[in-house]
Amino acid sequence: MQFSYPDAADAESPLKPEELQVLRAQYEKEGEYVGVQTKFNYAWGLIKSSTRASQQEGVRLLSEIFRNSPERRRECLYYLALGNYKLGNYAEARRYNDLLLDHEPGNLQAESLRGLVDDKVAKEGMMGVAILSGVALAAGVLGGIIFRGTRRR
């Protein structure tokens, strides 16, 4: 069964506070007997949030669903990938997304998310190289200054 997933861009548009409050109220009202769909809806609302703590809570809730509800695992994979992508956990995002693509090789949303993750990893890799190069250059200049200072004495 192929699910219909939102585009990755949808994760970037947070719910209005009152919309998230409706999901939170339903989640809290159901208490320890919270339904899987209620928990899922609330988790997705949290992931869409612009605050890191809310996004982390959303990923935590989805992870619980993934562990405890085998019938929802496949659906959770994409949302866990999106949540981890938003949090900057690109290795985890890739892992969940690749698991989904193993089950649904033609999933366009997952293919698109794979591209976004790969772009971020490449971009951060280039920034890491640039930072390391800058640090090495600064260390070289500093070492040269110190070396020249000791030779003059």
Side-chain angles (χ1 to χ4, degrees):
M1 176 180 170
Q2 184 107 358
F3 294 100
S4 177
Y5 303 104
D7 290 325
D10 190 40
E12 300 299 330
S13 55
L15 297 177
K16 294 177 182 148
E18 54 274 8
E19 292 171 326
L20 185 58
Q21 182 53 40
V22 167
L23 295 174
R24 178 181 291 117
Q26 182 63 37
Y27 175 78
E28 290 172 351
K29 177 181 167 192
E30 292 182 25
E32 69 179 270
Y33 301 106
V34 65
V36 174
Q37 189 62 49
T38 299
K39 185 185 269 191
F40 183 89
N41 292 344
Y42 182 47
W44 176 230
L46 290 168
I47 286 172
K48 289 173 60 86
S49 170
S50 53
T51 66
R52 185 169 180 81
S54 293
Q55 294 164 2
Q56 289 170 325
E57 178 66 5
V59 166
R60 187 189 69 73
L61 291 173
L62 279 175
S63 294
E64 286 179 8
I65 296 169
F66 184 82
R67 276 192 310 276
N68 301 327
S69 301
E71 73 282 1
R72 298 295 294 263
R73 283 189 180 143
R74 221 161 151 179
E75 185 180 8
C76 283
L77 288 172
Y78 181 73
Y79 292 90
L80 283 165
L82 271 177
N84 279 288
Y85 172 77
K86 277 192 76 173
L87 288 167
N89 302 333
Y90 303 123
E92 282 295 292
R94 180 181 278 152
R95 185 173 69 89
Y96 285 118
N97 201 53
D98 285 349
L99 284 169
L100 177 60
L101 286 168
D102 287 346
H103 293 286
E104 298 178 20
N107 186 305
L108 297 177
Q109 290 89 349
E111 289 289 344
S112 174
L113 182 56
R114 174 189 271 168
L116 291 173
V117 170
D118 289 347
D119 289 348
K120 283 285 193 178
V121 168
K123 188 177 185 180
E124 286 196 358
M126 293 301 285
M127 286 186 64
V129 167
I131 290 169
L132 285 175
S133 297
V135 168
L137 179 64
V141 169
L142 184 61
I145 291 170
I146 292 171
F147 182 72
R148 278 187 22 207
T150 59
R151 274 187 28 195
R152 289 189 178 166
R153 290 184 186 176

